[in-house]
Amino acid sequence: MIPDPDDQATLDVSAAIAVLQSRIEKAGLSLKESADFALFEKTVRSTEDKYLMEDFSPRFFDLHGTTAFWVGAVNSHGNVVSVQAAKVEDLKDRSLAEHWHQQQRRIFVDPNPQVRFGTEHAHDAYFMRGRIVYHGNLWLRRDIRGQGLAEPLTQLGFLLSLLKWSPDYLYGLMAAKSAEKGFGIRVGYRRFVPRGTHWEIAPGHIRPDDWLVYATRSDLHGLVKLILRTSAEDPE
């Protein structure tokens, strides 16, 4: 019997997740995955950052296990040192830019007439349709930054999204400085647009300089192959 290539792809994604999990655990961290976003809010509020993105707030969205998850990393003292979250939208009937225009207006503009949402969003967002994952609310505690953990932690979120949903696209909104320094390419984003959502007058807590950074399904499978190849060439 000829093996099903989809089955092999699933096995490869699972194997790459195991590689990342091993790297993270060797650094003394344990991982927790959950779809409880009330707990996510409580966890985020307990961190030094305290910032819960509206996209992952139960006040604005019904988030559950079929469409969203979050991952926390905990050190040996039981303290949360990293969080991230992802959710999937089925945008067959509209583009990502059209989705932003509807969703961001409802969340930010309608309650605050001083905010003005623009129409000149990232060019690629007008052509992105299908099953689209948003990855965000990524945070690492200051004392674990610069230790090579940001990459495997972020990639873990990407590959869990790939395993669960096999999305057409996975995207984030990244500060221009981080994108220009190469953080996006290191974690697995492969496409970069020097504009995200367009604000004429942005809410006070929203950066107006964000870039749209994203990867296609094929890009994510390429990341899987890279992780497995690197692991085989340099076993720890």
Side-chain angles (χ1 to χ4, degrees):
M1 180 180 293
I2 299 174
D4 187 330
D6 289 340
D7 292 341
Q8 185 59 50
T10 300
L11 290 172
D12 287 348
V13 176
S14 298
I17 288 172
V19 168
L20 296 173
Q21 189 170 356
S22 176
R23 290 177 184 170
I24 294 164
E25 290 176 348
K26 283 181 179 178
L29 304 181
S30 59
L31 295 163
K32 174 190 171 98
E33 180 192 342
S34 175
D36 182 344
F37 278 84
L39 178 60
F40 183 59
E41 180 170 10
K42 182 178 178 181
T43 302
V44 169
R45 300 297 188 203
S46 71
T47 68
E48 62 189 31
D49 187 63
K50 301 186 186 303
Y51 176 47
L52 176 69
M53 298 180 70
E54 286 82 359
D55 298 83
F56 300 110
S57 170
R59 292 186 300 130
F60 294 102
F61 296 100
D62 295 324
L63 301 161
H64 47 81
T66 58
T67 59
F69 71 90
W70 64 275
V71 175
V74 179
N75 66 13
S76 59
H77 301 291
N79 299 318
V80 174
V81 296
S82 176
V83 294
Q84 61 182 299
K87 67 177 184 177
V88 65
E89 302 277 1
D90 194 353
L91 301 181
K92 291 187 177 69
D93 61 337
R94 61 196 184 280
S95 70
L96 178 60
E98 290 168 329
H99 173 68
W100 284 345
H101 200 73
Q102 179 187 51
Q103 179 175 284
Q104 307 290 65
R105 180 173 297 281
R106 183 171 61 241
I107 295 173
F108 298 112
V109 180
D110 291 348
N112 185 356
Q114 295 181 336
V115 170
R116 286 216 303 269
F117 197 49
T119 58
E120 299 177 10
H121 308 303
H123 174 270
D124 296 31
Y126 288 92
F127 302 93
M128 294 168 66
R129 295 173 181 262
R131 191 180 297 125
I132 301 181
V133 168
Y134 177 59
H135 179 272
N137 228 129
L138 177 66
W139 169 80
L140 279 76
R141 204 170 71 178
R142 292 185 184 278
D143 60 329
I144 69 163
R145 298 174 190 175
Q147 299 182 23
L149 284 166
E151 287 85 354
L153 282 166
T154 308
Q155 290 168 352
L156 178 69
F158 286 13
L159 297 195
L160 286 171
S161 300
L162 179 60
L163 187 65
K164 290 172 182 291
W165 300 312
S166 189
D168 297 290
Y169 301 97
L170 179 146
Y171 81 97
L173 294 168
M174 183 175 292
K177 184 182 294 185
S178 297
E180 290 166 350
K181 286 182 176 178
F183 178 70
I185 195 75
R186 293 199 302 274
V187 299
Y189 289 119
R190 294 295 180 259
R191 293 141 204 273
F192 301 84
V193 187
R195 169 169 276 179
T197 50
H198 174 215
W199 294 99
E200 294 179 1
I201 301 177
H205 66 295
I206 300 276
R207 290 187 306 259
D209 68 335
D210 278 344
W211 286 24
L212 168 64
V213 292
Y214 71 98
T216 65
R217 184 190 301 120
S218 177
D219 293 332
L220 293 171
H221 281 293
L223 176 62
V224 167
K225 292 175 182 176
L226 176 62
I227 291 167
L228 295 178
R229 184 171 66 249
T230 304
S231 176
E233 292 172 352
D234 186 21
E236 298 178 16

